[in-house]
Amino acid sequence: MEMLKEKIRQEGLVPSDNILKVDSFLNHQIDPVLMMAIGEEFARLFADAGITKILTIESSGIAAALTAGLKLNVSLVFARKKKSVLMNEDVYMTDVHSFTKNETNQVTVLKKFLPAGETILIIDDFLANGEAALGLAHLVEQAGSTVAGIGIVIEKAFQNGGARLREKGFRVESLARIASLTAGEVTFVEECVQA
Amino acid sequence: MEMLKEKIRQEGLVPSDNILKVDSFLNHQIDPVLMMAIGEEFARLFADAGITKILTIESSGIAAALTAGLKLNVSLVFARKKKSVLMNEDVYMTDVHSFTKNETNQVTVLKKFLPAGETILIIDDFLANGEAALGLAHLVEQAGSTVAGIGIVIEKAFQNGGARLREKGFRVESLARIASLTAGEVTFVEECVQA
């Protein structure tokens, strides 16, 4: 998605070889026009997938899931992240480890908002090692619903999350794929290899 | 806002005399069409206020702030909530106490995304005792910017938050004002007293 890549080139910060900061438009400050374009692109990519509901995770997934939901005309539900919660029979729950923050969160969603038999699109802002997306997929599985696809705003393609998800048979669509962040420079995966 | 009130009447749950649960459309599952209408209504109400930026707080304020930002054509920034963070010179910080959860969070926003001289619209999903809105207003004050208004999706008008904010001179616009939740019943504040 060229508009997104251009924004990453202009405003993305690379403080180290595996960190890309995009908090000026994606996950702290938000550019609503770009976010609407992101939702439209997810809707276009998954137009044929029969999506009935979107599942994301707080906080940074909410904006993209909302605009995609608007364009796909389906509701969204955001899973909640807590350090620890009491067991509660009303929720589906899974552990998600964050390597960046070195902490494990219990991720929950109320069962009544993730019923069986739905065709779910999972959306998140970043894909690195795939922990969050796998956790969300695990919630969908517990619910007896189907993951029709995983929509990612920015995939760090030099980490193994994309491979892990695709190996499990998930359809992953990333709007920008980062090949490397070496020497403070963002390099995208080339979508088309020229002859 | 009639569409919102109708949704509250249809789906709002009242487990006790001061709790209104609207997690089927506002703060866990989200109805994108209603959320867009909410953003449009905020944009209409504050059209003349010269808003240059929206400030909200994660997670439940993000969706309404995004749709309002889209309609007002301004960016938004969401403050982050943490139990405790190290002192950091790059952020504005304030304590916000939640009476519902009986916990105090440190709420932060990166200084670079809340510069001086902005005309800020604060948006949040609920107004009860006003702690969150006052905390956000305190961040704006630290930044040397101006709070032009506070947009609230649902105000529990039987609690003192609205009065606290209005006494301080803030313009508060609530899209639905709850007069009482007695006996499991939602009663709205009547906007027009008939002769």
Side-chain angles (χ1 to χ4, degrees):
Chain A
M1 183 185 172
E2 195 45 45
M3 181 184 181
L4 172 64
K5 287 187 190 172
E6 192 50 37
K7 193 83 168 178
I8 294 170
R9 282 186 206 107
Q10 284 169 9
E11 299 189 17
L13 299 176
V14 185
S16 81
D17 281 5
N18 57 5
I19 296 179
L20 171 65
K21 296 191 83 161
V22 288
D23 52 10
S24 71
F25 59 91
L26 193 67
N27 47 23
H28 186 23
Q29 185 169 252
I30 295 175
D31 175 341
V33 174
L34 174 65
M35 200 53 86
M36 187 56 80
I38 285 170
E40 276 168 10
E41 183 64 6
F42 282 134
R44 190 185 67 77
L45 289 165
F46 292 102
D48 61 347
I51 305 298
T52 61
K53 189 159 215 166
I54 294 173
L55 175 65
T56 186
I57 184 166
E58 66 178 355
S59 293
S60 304
I62 296 173
L66 174 63
T67 54
L70 196 68
K71 294 296 168 180
L72 285 167
N73 201 26
V74 299
S75 67
L76 56 133
V77 59
F78 62 89
R80 295 193 172 272
K81 238 185 307 191
K82 302 225 167 172
K83 275 270 172 42
S84 72
V85 291
L86 296 173
M87 286 301 296
N88 180 337
E89 64 183 14
D90 297 333
V91 301
Y92 296 116
M93 186 185 300
T94 193
D95 282 345
V96 170
H97 184 72
S98 163
F99 290 97
T100 329
K101 297 180 183 167
N102 193 27
E103 65 182 25
T104 299
N105 286 291
Q106 283 187 308
V107 170
T108 61
V109 64
L110 277 174
K111 288 182 179 177
K112 63 180 170 179
F113 300 133
L114 194 60
E118 300 278 342
T119 304
I120 306 283
L121 172 60
I122 289 172
I123 284 191
D124 205 2
D125 60 337
F126 264 95
L127 171 61
N129 47 62
E131 289 293 304
L134 286 168
L136 293 176
H138 185 222
L139 295 177
V140 174
E141 187 187 307
Q142 288 175 61
S145 279
T146 307
V147 176
I150 299 174
I152 298 292
V153 182
I154 301 176
E155 177 180 345
K156 290 156 92 176
F158 57 90
Q159 292 189 239
N160 69 343
R164 286 176 77 191
L165 295 174
R166 291 177 180 105
E167 273 162 21
K168 285 180 186 290
F170 292 117
R171 175 181 169 194
V172 182
E173 298 280 2
S174 304
L175 305 190
R177 303 186 71 210
I178 311 290
S180 87
L181 295 168
T182 311
E185 199 72 29
V186 179
T187 308
F188 293 99
V189 174
E190 291 302 320
E191 305 301 340
C192 312
V193 177
Q194 307 272 321
Chain B
M1 185 185 171
E2 195 45 45
M3 181 183 181
L4 173 63
K5 287 185 190 174
E6 191 50 39
K7 194 83 168 180
I8 294 170
R9 282 186 207 103
Q10 285 170 8
E11 299 188 18
L13 299 176
V14 185
S16 80
D17 281 5
N18 57 5
I19 297 179
L20 172 64
K21 297 191 83 164
V22 288
D23 53 8
S24 71
F25 60 90
L26 193 66
N27 46 24
H28 186 24
Q29 184 168 254
I30 295 175
D31 174 341
V33 175
L34 175 65
M35 200 53 85
M36 187 55 83
I38 285 171
E40 276 168 9
E41 184 64 5
F42 281 134
R44 190 186 67 77
L45 289 165
F46 291 100
D48 61 348
I51 305 298
T52 60
K53 189 159 214 168
I54 294 174
L55 175 65
T56 188
I57 183 166
E58 64 179 354
S59 293
S60 305
I62 296 173
L66 174 63
T67 55
L70 196 67
K71 294 297 169 177
L72 285 167
N73 201 26
V74 298
S75 67
L76 57 133
V77 58
F78 62 88
R80 295 194 172 271
K81 236 183 310 191
K82 301 226 167 167
K83 275 273 173 40
S84 73
V85 291
L86 296 173
M87 285 301 296
N88 180 336
E89 62 182 17
D90 297 334
V91 301
Y92 297 116
M93 187 185 299
T94 193
D95 282 346
V96 171
H97 184 72
S98 164
F99 290 96
T100 330
K101 296 180 184 166
N102 192 29
E103 65 181 26
T104 300
N105 286 291
Q106 283 186 306
V107 170
T108 61
V109 63
L110 278 174
K111 288 181 179 175
K112 64 179 171 179
F113 300 134
L114 194 60
E118 300 277 342
T119 303
I120 306 281
L121 172 60
I122 289 172
I123 283 191
D124 206 2
D125 60 337
F126 264 95
L127 172 61
N129 47 62
E131 289 293 304
L134 286 168
L136 293 175
H138 185 223
L139 296 176
V140 175
E141 186 187 308
Q142 288 175 60
S145 279
T146 306
V147 177
I150 299 174
I152 299 292
V153 182
I154 300 176
E155 177 181 346
K156 291 156 93 177
F158 58 89
Q159 291 187 239
N160 69 345
R164 287 176 76 191
L165 296 174
R166 291 176 181 106
E167 273 162 22
K168 285 181 186 289
F170 292 118
R171 176 181 170 194
V172 182
E173 299 280 2
S174 304
L175 304 190
R177 302 186 70 209
I178 311 289
S180 88
L181 296 169
T182 311
E185 197 73 28
V186 179
T187 308
F188 292 100
V189 174
E190 291 301 321
E191 305 300 342
C192 311
V193 177
Q194 306 272 319

